[in-house]
Amino acid sequence: GAGVSQSPRYKVAKRGQDVALRCDPISGHVSLFWYQQALGQGPEFLTYFQNEAQLDKSGLPSDRFFAERPEGSVSTLKIQRTQQEDSAVYLCASSLISGRVGEQFFGPGTRLTVL
Amino acid sequence: AQKVTQAQTEISVVEKEDVTLDCVYETRDTTYYLFWYKQPPSGELVFLIRRNSFDEQNEISGRYSWNFQKSTSSFNFTITASQVVDSAVYFCALSEALDFGNEKLTFGTGTRLTIIP
């Protein structure tokens, strides 16, 4: 069906607020990735899910960042007590086959601005 | 640790010229995968190509071609007869796939390509 979708597309938060970013991967895709893209930079890995299991969260910058994928489909990235340095585009990607290095399909991203 | 370097920050060429985007990578593994993605102004990353470390054959797809050279750790991308629609930011990326299923990508900083009509 459709590609990877993310919501909201834009989010403005005041410093200290909590935010939740949603990712709907392509149906049936096993692997799901979150990346953070700062202005003028390439995306940087945050965390990886294989179905509902979070197997790698080595890229999460602090314990204020939390991600979940409870039913192995939709994923939510939550940022608590947002700070200005959290301002970035957050990209979600999914891929069909786990265990093979395949094409990752990216969503349009959520642009987070922390004032 | 793996690293991808795209030394060209911005390139501008006149339409119909050929242009090559450079990518140099570092990895300690013998098995790895290289990618190119295109990010148009809309922001969505578009997959262009995947190449594994055991396949050094160059590849051509229409106006696009890729030159993979392990000896110099480079994976360069050439657009022939450029068009205005090619204007975008292009990212080179690397995956070591060290952990089962975790194909996380390490991206370069990107090259912004502008095609002048």
Side-chain angles (χ1 to χ4, degrees), chain A residues 36-44 87-89 111, chain B residues 6 8-10 39 89-91 107-112:
Chain A
Q36 179 190 59
Q37 186 176 17
L39 187 64
Q41 300 296 315
E44 292 192 358
S87 295
V89 176
R111 181 177 297 278
Chain B
Q6 295 179 256
Q8 304 153 307
T9 305
E10 296 189 29
Q39 189 172 44
V89 180
Y90 290 86
F91 290 97
F107 286 86
T109 50
T111 297
R112 180 177 299 277

Side-chain angles (χ1 to χ4, degrees), chain A residues 9 31 33 35 37 40-43 45 48 50 56 58 91 95 97-104 106-108, chain B residues 33 35 37 39 42-47 50 91 95-97 99-110 112:
Chain A
R9 290 293 313 277
S31 299
F33 303 81
Y35 294 85
Q37 186 176 17
Q41 300 296 315
F45 171 79
Y48 159 69
Q50 186 180 119
D56 187 344
S58 61
L91 297 168
S95 65
I97 299 173
S98 181
R100 283 182 50 193
V101 184
E103 173 187 348
Q104 291 183 25
F106 281 82
Chain B
Y33 298 81
F35 301 78
Y37 280 85
Q39 189 172 44
S42 62
E44 197 158 332
L45 282 162
V46 177
F47 168 84
R50 173 186 64 241
F91 290 97
S95 176
E96 290 184 332
D99 301 322
F100 180 79
N102 188 355
E103 307 134 11
K104 59 186 174 184
L105 296 169
T106 298
F107 286 86
T109 50
R112 180 177 299 277

Side-chain angles (χ1 to χ4, degrees), chain B residues 81-98:
Chain B
S82 59
Q83 300 176 2
V84 173
V85 294
D86 296 327
S87 296
V89 180
Y90 290 86
F91 290 97
C92 180
L94 166 71
S95 176
E96 290 184 332
L98 293 175

Side-chain angles (χ1 to χ4, degrees), chain B:
Chain B
Q2 61 270 35
K3 182 179 178 182
V4 176
T5 301
Q6 295 179 256
Q8 304 153 307
T9 305
E10 296 189 29
I11 300 176
S12 295
V13 300
V14 176
E15 195 174 20
K16 298 184 183 176
E17 288 186 350
D18 300 348
V19 58
T20 295
L21 309 183
D22 297 334
C23 173
V24 175
Y25 63 91
E26 296 176 28
T27 177
R28 58 189 174 187
D29 205 8
T30 56
T31 302
Y32 53 90
Y33 298 81
L34 295 164
F35 301 78
W36 276 94
Y37 280 85
K38 174 182 180 180
Q39 189 172 44
S42 62
E44 197 158 332
L45 282 162
V46 177
F47 168 84
L48 295 178
I49 189 171
R50 173 186 64 241
R51 178 50 53 94
N52 75 57
S53 54
F54 298 107
D55 182 2
E56 288 192 71
Q57 280 192 340
N58 292 331
E59 182 160 338
I60 297 174
S61 176
R63 296 184 297 106
Y64 295 170
S65 62
W66 290 270
N67 183 354
F68 176 30
Q69 293 196 350
K70 287 179 74 171
S71 60
T72 56
S73 297
S74 65
F75 186 44
N76 296 338
F77 173 31
T78 298
I79 301 174
T80 302
S82 59
Q83 300 176 2
V84 173
V85 294
D86 296 327
S87 296
V89 180
Y90 290 86
F91 290 97
C92 180
L94 166 71
S95 176
E96 290 184 332
L98 293 175
D99 301 322
F100 180 79
N102 188 355
E103 307 134 11
K104 59 186 174 184
L105 296 169
T106 298
F107 286 86
T109 50
T111 297
R112 180 177 299 277
L113 176 64
T114 301
I115 309 300
I116 303 166

Side-chain angles (χ1 to χ4, degrees), chain A residues 3 11 18 29 54 59 72 92 101 103 107:
Chain A
K11 177 69 179 178
D18 297 348
H29 276 198
Q54 187 176 19
C92 175
V101 184
E103 173 187 348

Side-chain angles (χ1 to χ4, degrees), chain A residues 2-59:
Chain A
V4 178
S5 61
Q6 294 185 244
S7 61
R9 290 293 313 277
Y10 303 91
K11 177 69 179 178
V12 178
K14 292 184 179 179
R15 187 160 58 94
Q17 283 185 334
D18 297 348
V19 298
L21 313 179
R22 177 187 169 106
C23 171
D24 284 82
I26 294 174
S27 178
H29 276 198
V30 171
S31 299
L32 186 145
F33 303 81
W34 284 98
Y35 294 85
Q36 179 190 59
Q37 186 176 17
L39 187 64
Q41 300 296 315
E44 292 192 358
F45 171 79
L46 293 177
T47 187
Y48 159 69
F49 289 86
Q50 186 180 119
N51 294 307
E52 70 279 2
Q54 187 176 19
L55 299 185
D56 187 344
K57 50 183 181 179
S58 61

